[in-house]
Amino acid sequence: MHDDPSLTISRATRVLAERIRPAIHQQPMALNVMSHQLPGEPISPLAAFGLEYTEHRVGSAWGPAWGTTWFRIRGQVPVQWSGFRLEVLIDLGFDPSMTGFQCEGLVYRGDGSTVKSINPRNQWIPVTDSALGGETFEFFIEAASNPILLDHHPFLPTQQGDILTSSPDPLYTTARMDLAIFHAEVYELAADLDVLLGLQEELPPGPRRMKIIKGIEAALDALDLQDISTTAAGARSILAPLLASPAGASEHVLSAIGHAHIDSAWLWPIRETVRKVARTISSVLELLETDPEFIFGMSSAQQYKWLKEQYPDLYQRVKDAVARGRLVPLGGMWVESDTVMPSGESLVRQFLYGQNFFQQEFGIHCKGAWLPDSFGYSAAMPQLMHRAGFDWFFTQKISWNQRNTFPHHTFEWEGIDGSRVLTHFPPMDTYSSQLSAREVALASSQFSESGTVSGSIAPVGWGDGGGGTTREMASAASRLKSLEGSPRVRWERPDDFYQRTQAELPVPPVWVGELYLELHRGTLTSQHRTKAGNRASEHLLVEAELWAATAAVRTGSSYPYQELDALWEKVLLHQFHDILPGTSIAWVHREVVADYDRIIAATEKLISAAVTALVGSGETPLTLNPTPYPRDDVPRVECGRRLPQKWSTTRSQQARTQTVIRWTTDWSRYTSTPKV
């Protein structure tokens, strides 16, 4: 019989999808499922546990847009299952192609501790590694019925983008809530075949590819499709030599780092981002406990602070993982902000507040800025990063250019003052790698500096809407450590990658000026109220600090540290790269505009208190000049009695009823503080 590789590959693909993967979990047993749909916003787990639950039949609809439904799941281990590893399988009505953009859930134990999250690519809950027949268990699932807005035809008009206009009808139908036996050997066989099938697709015709195909064929022949769990080990033994064949000495090295890139708001509101962070990090911590080599990186001090404030038990586990070096704070910024529209002062604050948080909480000073998804990068950034103490910069967004392919992947980026920062773009062109064969091969084949630099970074995990790294991705990484025909993969901290790269590339190519993104151009002109609120808040906060500091020095007034920090943190959050550019849903911008009104009012109040401390009260009109240069005969950072001559008569007469008139920094208008 003649060999036909295409038939073998087709056979293997079908057997893997239709027989092997379903056999990973065997003898599924339905569980007792109860539910409670909340009428409004999310509540705490302990409050949810005491709710009145009603029966939920699997196959029933649940969850209006942006709603929360609590599921209570109970079961008992059959006596004959003693000694087996057991997992609960949950399908809330998932679409596997939309991870992070639809319903998802966080699993709790009855004592309020988190287990892990469930989503379309992570549908299992660990019960026990060695079951005891007759024992009972109980889980609670906080399920979020977030609507699919991106969908397969993205960015169509929708009413689902705001809870005020979204549909009250159920969006999802539960498909599965079972207890099952987990067969580790079958899972490992599926992982073996995944890697080898992917590798042969990327290899050129030749001996290595044909040996893989023949080995797969022999493994399938040894596998009894009626008894996969018993014969999986034999099939794996045939594949083992193919997986043990080492990579060549000069193969590209991928420095993998677990990653999630959770957008602080986008197609979901900020309140949902808080829950996404908790869901993602709970699954990541579970993977850290089971895979001793896995390392996860997470940016955005704001997201850590949310965990600290709202999930203290989870946050303590994060702190422990950071202390062990398994979870790596990245980026040294408050959020992954836009870098084009914020003021220079705001960008400095992004670094200051981010680095201060990481230093105070973990004793860590981040060495690099991590902005994988912002919409272009200002030419001022190298100077600001350099002065903030950063040694390196990471992004992949420029690979999305519509016209011009960027000429480098590893280079020095030079700013407007001549400052340079070692910069890296991952050549796999993604910040959400699954370590697929195509991604891994792409990283090697299109790496611009392959003649001098040994490797690149691979951010591994579901991103945007969260999810992070899965056990399937970790299994792929273990098989790609050293595999003939493939780049090498190893879990590595970005700091170590950049240190090695700097030694390998002592004279790197240089890019001077802005890193312009040839995409998302409308972000400079959309959502004007969001942009106006940001600019007003930036300037008023600077002015508030000026007068508060002046009052503290000249009159001994107390300086409002906590109030100013809280206001700055809110402004910095709203500079996230899907909020300030105007790319989020209506709910986000509605809340942000309201936040800016509150920020401006609170900042004006601080300014008024500081000004009153400086000049007292009275009937004489005074003009305060917060600018660094004289203005209308008023010295810089001083007050004077002369009113600006360019004011209209009406405005001047109105001004004389006030105690203090002040210039508003960098604005072509004036504001006045109320008479005290």
Side-chain angles (χ1 to χ4, degrees):
M1 184 176 182
H2 297 291
D3 287 332
D4 189 339
S6 65
L7 291 178
T8 299
I9 299 307
S10 177
R11 174 193 177 196
T13 302
R14 289 192 60 185
V15 168
L16 177 59
E18 298 174 7
R19 307 302 291 271
I20 297 175
R21 285 203 181 100
I24 294 173
H25 294 94
Q26 296 187 12
Q27 302 181 49
M29 181 183 74
L31 298 171
N32 176 269
V33 182
M34 310 283 280
S35 67
H36 182 104
Q37 180 180 309
L38 296 182
E41 287 296 282
I43 62 176
S44 70
L46 294 182
F49 297 166
L51 295 172
E52 182 177 344
Y53 287 79
T54 58
E55 181 183 5
H56 176 88
R57 295 182 179 274
V58 174
S60 300
W62 72 278
W66 307 115
T68 299
T69 299
W70 281 86
F71 292 97
R72 188 185 70 196
I73 298 174
R74 289 174 174 171
Q76 185 174 26
V77 177
V79 174
Q80 63 271 27
W81 285 10
S82 294
F84 285 105
R85 177 176 174 177
L86 304 182
E87 294 181 349
V88 168
L89 302 177
I90 302 292
D91 186 344
L92 296 175
F94 296 132
D95 178 348
S97 67
M98 302 299 295
T99 300
F101 297 93
Q102 58 179 288
C103 62
E104 50 193 299
L106 180 56
V107 183
Y108 290 88
R109 301 179 185 90
D111 60 3
S113 61
T114 58
V115 182
K116 63 182 288 292
S117 67
I118 52 172
N119 62 53
R121 298 300 183 105
N122 208 333
Q123 299 185 18
W124 57 279
I125 306 170
V127 177
T128 177
D129 287 336
S130 181
L132 179 63
E135 68 177 333
T136 61
F137 60 89
E138 178 184 64
F139 294 115
F140 291 86
I141 302 174
E142 181 193 33
S145 48
N146 301 331
I148 297 177
L149 301 180
L150 196 62
D151 213 339
H152 303 285
H153 301 284
F155 306 121
L156 296 175
T158 177
Q159 296 295 314
Q160 301 284 57
D162 194 327
I163 197 170
L164 300 180
T165 58
S166 59
S167 170
D169 298 331
L171 299 180
Y172 298 99
T173 300
T174 53
R176 184 177 195 180
M177 293 189 177
D178 298 330
L179 178 67
I181 298 173
F182 176 83
H183 284 275
E185 199 69 21
V186 180
Y187 169 84
E188 299 295 344
L189 174 61
D192 292 344
L193 286 170
D194 258 334
V195 168
L196 290 172
L197 282 170
L199 176 58
Q200 63 81 28
E201 286 184 5
E202 301 301 324
L203 289 173
R208 174 61 170 164
R209 182 171 185 269
M210 286 308 301
K211 286 180 180 179
I212 290 174
I213 293 173
K214 295 295 289 184
I216 290 174
E217 184 177 43
L220 294 178
D221 290 343
L223 187 68
D224 184 350
L225 298 185
Q226 307 305 315
D227 189 10
I228 291 177
S229 59
T230 301
T231 57
R236 291 195 69 208
S237 68
I238 295 171
L239 299 177
L242 298 171
L243 292 164
S245 184
S250 60
E251 285 287 359
H252 188 83
V253 177
L254 278 169
S255 297
I257 181 72
H259 192 232
H261 175 63
I262 304 172
D263 285 320
S264 292
W266 182 28
L267 302 178
W268 44 86
I270 291 172
R271 71 93 149 139
E272 194 57 32
T273 309
V274 177
R275 300 203 294 178
K276 283 178 175 289
V277 172
R279 289 191 284 258
T280 296
I281 205 66
S282 67
S283 289
V284 165
L285 290 168
E286 195 277 338
L287 187 56
L288 287 172
E289 293 171 1
T290 56
D291 189 327
E293 296 184 351
F294 174 56
I295 300 172
F296 186 78
M298 176 173 159
S299 70
S300 303
Q302 172 68 84
Q303 297 185 2
Y304 288 84
K305 187 173 183 179
W306 283 331
L307 290 174
K308 180 180 180 181
E309 293 176 342
Q310 301 190 39
Y311 299 87
D313 294 343
L314 203 54
Y315 185 67
Q316 185 56 54
R317 293 171 62 194
V318 167
K319 294 193 74 170
D320 294 342
V322 172
R324 298 194 310 270
R326 302 291 306 285
L327 197 155
V328 183
L330 293 173
M333 297 179 72
W334 192 249
V335 296
E336 292 181 8
S337 73
D338 181 80
T339 73
V340 177
M341 288 174 283
S343 67
E345 180 66 28
S346 290
L347 290 173
V348 169
R349 298 297 176 120
Q350 289 284 352
F351 298 141
L352 175 66
Y353 280 66
Q355 291 284 45
N356 281 351
F357 184 91
F358 291 140
Q359 183 65 48
Q360 292 164 8
E361 293 294 316
F362 309 120
I364 287 175
H365 181 89
C366 296
K367 295 182 179 180
W370 185 273
L371 291 172
D373 193 32
S374 297
F375 307 158
Y377 305 91
S378 163
M381 285 292 287
Q383 176 182 355
L384 297 177
M385 289 189 290
H386 179 73
R387 295 193 176 189
F390 290 113
D391 297 329
W392 54 262
F393 174 65
F394 174 90
T395 185
Q396 71 82 44
K397 194 69 171 185
I398 306 303
S399 71
W400 292 24
N401 276 1
Q402 290 177 308
R403 295 290 180 267
N404 298 291
T405 301
F406 197 81
H408 307 293
H409 288 105
T410 303
F411 59 98
E412 279 193 334
W413 181 20
E414 182 177 312
I416 54 180
D417 74 330
S419 298
R420 293 182 179 180
V421 177
L422 183 61
T423 299
H424 177 69
F425 299 171
M428 60 170 47
D429 293 347
T430 181
Y431 51 73
S432 300
S433 171
Q434 301 172 50
L435 287 181
S436 68
R438 189 201 66 80
E439 292 169 338
V440 170
L442 183 66
S444 176
S445 65
Q446 71 171 11
F447 185 44
S448 300
E449 285 70 46
S450 59
T452 50
V453 179
S454 59
S456 61
I457 289 178
V460 180
W462 296 106
D464 291 327
T469 317
T470 66
R471 66 181 175 187
E472 288 79 13
M473 297 172 191
S475 296
S478 69
R479 287 159 174 78
L480 294 172
K481 284 182 185 177
S482 180
L483 180 62
E484 182 186 357
S486 170
R488 301 171 184 265
V489 175
R490 64 187 181 201
W491 298 111
E492 185 175 40
R493 296 166 186 83
D495 283 346
D496 296 332
F497 165 82
Y498 278 93
Q499 184 177 11
R500 183 178 65 257
T501 297
Q502 193 160 35
E504 293 175 344
L505 195 63
V507 185
V510 177
W511 180 269
V512 180
E514 179 183 10
L515 291 173
Y516 178 72
L517 176 65
E518 298 172 358
L519 197 67
H520 304 336
R521 294 177 180 86
T523 58
L524 296 177
T525 55
S526 62
Q527 297 294 340
H528 292 180
R529 295 174 67 196
T530 296
K531 290 172 170 59
N534 171 73
R535 188 66 79 229
S537 299
E538 288 176 325
H539 288 302
L540 286 172
L541 279 169
V542 170
E543 187 176 349
E545 291 184 333
L546 171 70
W547 296 128
T550 304
V553 171
R554 296 187 181 181
T555 72
S557 300
S558 60
Y559 187 84
Y561 291 101
Q562 293 182 344
E563 296 94 329
L564 285 167
D565 278 347
L567 292 169
W568 265 116
E569 287 178 6
K570 185 68 74 171
V571 170
L572 297 179
L573 167 60
H574 294 338
Q575 290 173 348
F576 177 73
H577 66 254
D578 276 311
I579 299 179
L580 181 55
T583 53
S584 290
I585 57 174
W587 188 353
V588 173
H589 290 289
R590 173 172 58 81
E591 291 190 329
V592 165
V593 168
D595 269 348
Y596 281 134
D597 288 342
R598 289 187 287 268
I599 291 167
I600 290 169
T603 308
E604 290 279 11
K605 187 176 179 179
L606 293 177
I607 292 172
S608 178
V611 167
T612 300
L614 283 168
V615 303
S617 60
E619 297 299 324
T620 304
L622 299 175
T623 299
L624 268 67
N625 176 18
T627 66
Y629 44 83
R631 201 164 184 179
D632 286 315
D633 295 335
V634 180
R636 62 187 180 89
V637 197
E638 273 294 352
C639 67
R641 296 189 178 186
R642 180 174 177 178
L643 291 174
Q645 296 300 311
K646 57 181 151 183
W647 278 17
S648 68
T649 303
T650 302
R651 181 62 171 158
S652 297
Q653 289 173 347
Q654 180 185 6
R656 292 192 182 95
T657 67
Q658 310 297 321
T659 301
V660 176
I661 313 301
R662 77 174 198 277
W663 290 93
T664 301
T665 310
D666 293 336
W667 286 77
S668 300
R669 66 177 180 87
Y670 299 90
T671 60
S672 57
T673 55
K675 180 178 177 180
V676 180

